[in-house]
Amino acid sequence: MQLLEERIRKDGVVREGNVLKVDSFLNHQIDVSLFQEIGREFLRRYDACSINKILTIEASGIGIACITAQYFQVPVVFAKKNKTSNLSADVYRGRVHSFTHNRDYEIVVGRDFLLPSDRLLILDDFLANGSALEGLLEVVDQSGASVAGAGIVIEKGFQEGGAKIRARGIRVESLAIIDSMDEKNGTICFRTTS
Ligand code: 5GP
């Protein structure tokens, strides 16, 4: 998605440890007009997939998911990061290793909000090593819902997540795929996609 790539080039900051900071439009301040274009693009790619619900993970997936949901006209469910030792039987659970914070945490989704009849679009801001998506898929598996695919705003194609998730047979649509980035000179190279 050209508009997004241009914005990443203009405002993205490459940090050490393969981290891309996009706080000025995605992760802290939110460019709502850009999010609308992102939502339209996800609809273009996943229209006709009978999606009835969008699933994401708190916190940074929620904004993207809500604006995208307006185009699909479906509700959003977000997995919560479990901060207590919540032993409730009313939730599905998954484990996620945080790439940016280098720690593990549990995610939970209330059983009432994921049903076997659901056809899901899973959305997230970044795809790096794939742990967030794997945790969400763990939750979805327990619910019996089906997955039409995943929509990612920025995939770091030089990390293993995209290949790992696609190898499971899951469709992954990433609006910008970064093939390489260099913290020393700030250059970002995008994969050419059709
Ligand atoms: P994964 O689970 O695929 O390794 O990482 C995806 C999650 O980590 C995303 O939900 C995102 O919040 C965070 N993340 C991974 N890489 C980056 C990055 O380069 N920049 C930012 N801002 N977040 C990232």
Side-chain angles (χ1 to χ4, degrees):
M1 186 181 167
Q2 196 176 342
L3 184 69
L4 176 64
E5 290 183 8
E6 283 167 8
R7 190 60 180 272
I8 295 168
R9 255 192 236 289
K10 180 169 157 284
D11 291 332
V13 180
V14 183
R15 288 277 165 82
E16 64 171 17
N18 284 330
V19 172
L20 178 68
K21 294 290 274 184
V22 283
D23 281 0
S24 66
F25 62 94
L26 181 62
N27 289 136
H28 197 0
Q29 175 169 258
I30 288 175
D31 182 335
V32 176
S33 305
L34 178 65
F35 275 32
Q36 286 173 323
E37 294 307 318
I38 287 170
R40 281 199 193 97
E41 183 61 19
F42 282 136
L43 179 65
R44 192 181 69 75
R45 296 187 190 208
Y46 279 108
D47 207 6
C49 290
S50 304
I51 285 156
N52 76 322
K53 204 171 273 181
I54 290 175
L55 176 67
T56 189
I57 184 166
E58 70 174 351
S60 35
I62 296 175
I64 292 286
C66 287
I67 289 185
T68 301
Q70 292 186 304
Y71 297 97
F72 284 86
Q73 289 285 295
V74 299
V76 172
V77 174
F78 63 92
K80 295 188 173 199
K81 292 174 180 166
N82 200 10
K83 293 176 189 99
T84 60
S85 55
N86 181 351
L87 296 175
S88 161
D90 303 336
V91 295
Y92 299 118
R93 296 163 194 282
R95 280 219 79 73
V96 174
H97 178 79
S98 166
F99 173 77
T100 40
H101 300 108
N102 192 25
R103 63 177 184 87
D104 287 357
Y105 58 90
E106 186 177 55
I107 55 170
V108 295
V109 175
R111 285 174 184 256
D112 289 347
F113 305 123
L114 283 183
L115 307 173
S117 54
D118 284 334
R119 181 109 180 115
L120 304 173
L121 172 62
I122 300 180
L123 293 183
D124 205 3
D125 57 344
F126 273 88
L127 175 57
N129 292 321
S131 183
L133 278 188
E134 284 178 328
L136 288 169
L137 290 167
E138 203 181 326
V139 164
V140 172
D141 281 350
Q142 293 161 52
S143 74
S146 66
V147 175
I152 300 293
V153 180
I154 304 173
E155 175 177 341
K156 292 185 291 179
F158 54 88
Q159 291 179 269
E160 63 183 14
K164 223 162 51 178
I165 303 294
R166 290 182 180 99
R168 292 174 61 164
I170 290 167
R171 178 176 171 194
V172 179
E173 293 285 342
S174 300
L175 304 190
I177 303 181
I178 295 174
D179 264 339
S180 64
M181 54 189 205
D182 184 339
E183 78 184 75
K184 289 200 185 71
N185 53 27
T187 50
I188 298 171
C189 295
F190 292 98
R191 187 171 303 174
T192 320
T193 49
S194 52

